[in-house]
Amino acid sequence: MVVALVAALALCAGFAAGRLRARRRRSPSQRDALCRLAAEAFPGGVLLLFDRRLRHALATGRGLKAIGLSPREVEGRTVREAFPAEVGAVFEPAYRGALEGRESAFELPHGDRDHLHKVVPVRDRSGAIVAGMVVAQDITDRKTREHRLKEWASRDGLTGLWNRDRLVQELDRFLEEGRRRDDRAGSLLFVDLDGFKSVNDTLGHAAGDDLLRSVARAIEARVRYTDTVARLGGDEFAVLLPGAEAAQAERVAEKIAAAVESAWPPGLRGGASVGVALLERGSRTAADVLSTADRAMYAVKWRRAS
């Protein structure tokens, strides 16, 4: 969208460049009016034109009002005069870079909205740089959609828990922090359901799906908000417990096992085997930790069966 806006307004910049070279104030010309109309055609867009003194000659677009500004508050003022100090500190280097022939693009929040800004030089017919131009577009809705899509891609479709990929990402991030900090303790629980196949065989797959959802809620209810609960696939779950050492992790594992058993359909035998792997200092990968937790889970399952 911003690229299209830049292309559509390039002609306007050429019009306004002539206005800058005149070095005197005039009433808006028909060309200026057309330029403003072009900028207004882009919802949430902003067009700023500035001279070599970093003073704004033109400020237009629907987005100005959205960020709490009007053309009158920007036109005739320098970048430092028109914007708050924290915004000016970002804009000024980009403005100077444009006047030296460099283009730049960056995201910046204005109020509760996010905008993508592109700052480019404006050249006359001989190729000389005579001004700079800023084109900004509100990208809040786009970023919200992207965030939702990314989150949906990280969720298990049946239970709503995080999926295996997201767990691996969180685990890798935790391990990386642990390599930088000596006090980064934590544990990983590997939860495998016992007797789940009999639920599907006896009550049907719909009942099995209901049980998986119930188990997901039961696990979430026994851990902290800061813990990561994921469904790895099938009847396997995992829980990342940052800061939990062995004793605490074992207590959580016992609570989860009891909660899963309580969620089991009446008349059928079942429950969960929960293995614990400590996230110790070192350079282990997420795959290593998952493998360790998986082995610990099978040791618990063997003890439950014997």
Side-chain angles (χ1 to χ4, degrees):
M1 176 66 78
V2 172
V3 174
L5 182 54
V6 171
L9 295 175
L11 185 59
C12 296
F15 292 160
R19 177 179 169 188
L20 287 168
R21 290 195 300 271
R23 295 189 180 183
R24 58 188 176 88
R25 298 186 63 84
R26 298 184 302 196
S27 60
S29 65
Q30 184 179 12
R31 286 179 173 179
D32 292 330
L34 289 173
C35 181
R36 293 180 188 277
L37 285 173
E40 293 288 343
F42 287 84
V46 176
L47 170 66
L48 306 176
L49 193 75
F50 56 91
D51 62 20
R52 288 194 165 277
R53 296 175 298 172
L54 308 187
R55 191 174 300 278
H56 296 96
L58 181 69
T60 187
R62 296 186 199 178
L64 274 177
K65 184 177 180 180
I67 63 177
L69 292 173
S70 67
R72 186 183 306 175
E73 294 173 297
V74 179
E75 292 178 357
R77 298 185 179 185
T78 66
V79 63
R80 289 179 176 268
E81 296 168 341
F83 299 107
E86 62 273 15
V87 176
V90 178
F91 273 11
E92 185 171 346
Y95 278 32
R96 295 190 184 280
L99 295 175
E100 295 173 359
R102 300 191 300 273
E103 296 186 4
S104 59
F106 51 88
E107 293 181 15
L108 198 65
H110 296 288
D112 61 351
R113 309 293 292 181
D114 292 320
H115 288 72
L116 177 61
H117 303 74
K118 190 170 181 65
V119 186
V120 298
V122 175
R123 303 176 187 271
D124 62 15
R125 292 182 178 180
S126 69
I129 297 173
V130 295
M133 179 174 67
V134 181
V135 177
Q137 180 67 32
D138 188 331
I139 59 170
T140 307
D141 294 340
R142 190 197 78 189
K143 289 188 69 175
T144 299
R145 287 193 298 271
E146 290 175 350
H147 176 76
R148 287 175 180 171
L149 288 171
K150 185 176 180 180
E151 180 158 315
W152 289 339
S154 298
R155 291 286 182 181
D156 173 61
L158 178 64
T159 64
L161 297 178
W162 297 118
N163 59 23
R164 174 184 283 269
D165 288 344
R166 180 57 180 263
L167 175 73
V168 169
Q169 291 174 13
E170 294 297 322
L171 192 49
D172 277 333
R173 184 180 299 115
F174 184 89
L175 293 172
E176 179 59 32
E177 290 177 2
R179 284 189 279 271
R180 296 195 301 265
R181 295 171 48 182
D182 291 337
D183 60 344
R184 191 65 167 161
S187 300
L188 180 72
L189 308 185
F190 196 112
V191 183
D192 184 81
L193 303 188
D194 301 324
F196 179 71
K197 184 176 183 299
S198 66
V199 175
N200 279 333
D201 293 343
T202 305
L203 303 178
H205 288 282
D209 289 347
D210 288 340
L211 176 58
L212 291 173
R213 285 188 283 263
S214 296
V215 167
R217 303 291 80 80
I219 294 175
E220 286 184 314
R222 270 68 182 180
V223 300
R224 302 164 298 183
Y225 177 77
T226 53
D227 299 330
T228 300
V229 183
R231 181 185 176 210
L232 301 179
D235 59 354
E236 295 179 338
F237 300 80
V239 185
L240 174 60
L241 302 172
E245 297 184 350
Q248 182 182 355
E250 290 291 349
R251 287 195 298 271
V252 175
E254 291 172 1
K255 291 179 181 179
I256 289 175
V260 172
E261 188 171 347
S262 297
W264 215 259
L268 295 178
R269 295 185 59 183
S273 297
V274 185
V276 178
L278 299 181
L279 306 181
E280 302 168 338
R281 299 187 185 98
S283 57
R284 292 193 301 172
T285 65
D288 293 332
V289 177
L290 278 167
S291 180
T292 300
D294 184 48
R295 290 194 298 272
M297 179 274 296
Y298 274 107
V300 173
K301 189 180 292 287
W302 182 83
R303 289 198 299 270
R304 282 170 55 86
S306 61

